[in-house]
Amino acid sequence: MTGDNSKVAIRDLKGYAGKTVRLQGWLHGKRTGGKVVFLVVRDGTGLCQCVVEAVAADAFALATDLTQESSLVVTGLVRVDERSPGGVELAVSGLDVLQTAQDYPITRKAHGIDFLMDHRHLWLRSQRPVALLRVRHTVIKAIRDFFDSNGFTLMDMPVLVPGAGEDRQSLFPVDYFGEKLFLTQTGQLYLESACMAMGKVYCFGPTFRAEKSKTRRHLTEFWMVEPEVAFADVTEVMELAEDMICDIVAAVLARNRADLEFLGRDIAALEKIVKPFPRMTYTEAGELLRSADLRRKLELELAQETVRLQGLMADLAAAEESLKVAKKGWQQEKLELRIRELREEIQELDQELRVRPDHIRLAQSFAWGEDLGGSDETIVSRQFERPVFVTDYPRVAKAFYMKVSPADPRVVKNFDMLAPGGYGEIIGGSQREENPDVIEESMKAKGLQPEDYAWYLDLRRYGSVPHGGFGLGVERTVAWLCGIRHVRETIPFPRTMGRVYP
Ligand code: 4AD
Ligand code: MG
């Protein structure tokens, strides 16, 4: 809509300078200064400072009493003001309050993560969740655009399934009219049949893992995109994953710069994510982990980080002292914010540094044959500025469907992609085994019954071809791109071992 007095989203306000418009939103914050009230209004697209002067008597009276998160409609003149968040502000002529909010629980003061998560339905309105979830939106759109423009067909796969797609340990059982079913761990097995129908396909949906892992990387419900390609070997599948990641990063850099800045993400580091990504085998990763060079490097980093931690603690003590003597309200608010940020940073770093000596020991005692541990992935991926492919894992450590390497039957033709900066695995993929006898043998070794997978084995009987694919976890990818430690904030309502509310 154009013209005067039209509904405008805050993000578009700049184009309406000199015009009178209507904003619809919620009260984010308020400052009062004698004959003027400054309302900071949010509408989901941005923040706008709305200036209510005493001469607009009705609006002024309403604005004075307005509480945080009250819903409102503001009419006013758009004025250019370089000091304002979006470069413009609104000179208010009319104010309608739709509902006056009562004691909104999330205030400007420090709240712990548990309190915020208990109020996730309201916390979603804050700037940090909005920034993170906007990035999530871009990631999902970039993934769809990538596959849609590269000849893939979207195929939705079932959520209720009769058996394991990955392993037996992490299945969620569901009572299905007296029969035991499970929530899907992956769409892959079904997708393999779709791939024999259409050539290049992908599925994108929620997947479930009853993993008893309370780590920063684990959710029990997460979203995964999985492409599957007929007539492809593992090298081609890796190139597909590389291209997809480059497109995702480019899209986020193009559309979410302000969000990344708000989150404090090192944007220059993201700009370095270009092809080709480094590649190493699992065996080489093991050699790296055990090397004396790496140990020295990790110990040096630990010492440096410990010094940094001490510096932060000194800053915190200084800020706490200043708070004791701060007189003005705004000074106190600023210091309280700084103290909260410092406390969070200190707590995170302290936790991290406490476990590092163990992680160094674990890396040094790496034994060929086990999957890479979480801390091993962290260490390997901290050595690179780009995502790194780790390939050819031991057959015993990986899923039954992975193709056994013709060159070395102890390993499979698979890869994990580890995101840089210690983020660890964001993608797992492989070429698929074509020989039904080999698959049956792997199934039995992992406690699965080949009879339960008769339909899957059929794919190897009727025109089997080399094929492969991968799965990318959306939440881990968003956490990496946004530079936040924990995946729990990258999905609107996270499900973890300890949380299913709200
Ligand atoms: O490595 P995974 O288990 O691979 C599969 O499921 C294959 N069937 C994919 C395929 O080849 N079609 O999981 C793939 C990705 C991981 O790299 C990770 O990003 C994410 O899914 N993921 C999780 N994310 C959050 N919480 C969890 N518990 C996750 N488990 C896996
Ligand atoms: Mg994996």
Side-chain angles (χ1 to χ4, degrees), residues 165-166 185-186 188 209 211 217-220 222 224 226-228 401 416 425-430 432 469-473 475-476 487:
E166 288 292 319
Q185 299 168 313
T186 165
Q188 182 199 319
R209 306 270 170 105
E211 277 169 309
R217 295 181 180 142
H218 286 90
L219 295 167
T220 51
F222 63 96
M224 178 155 60
E226 298 179 87
E228 193 73 28
Y401 52 73
D416 277 357
E425 180 193 337
I426 53 170
I427 295 183
S430 67
R432 318 306 187 188
F470 63 81
L472 166 118
E475 292 75 18
R476 288 189 190 176
V487 293

Side-chain angles (χ1 to χ4, degrees), residues 464-486:
S464 191
V465 300
H467 67 290
F470 63 81
L472 166 118
V474 169
E475 292 75 18
R476 288 189 190 176
T477 305
V478 174
W480 160 53
L481 292 172
C482 292
I484 64 164
R485 242 181 92 71
H486 205 294

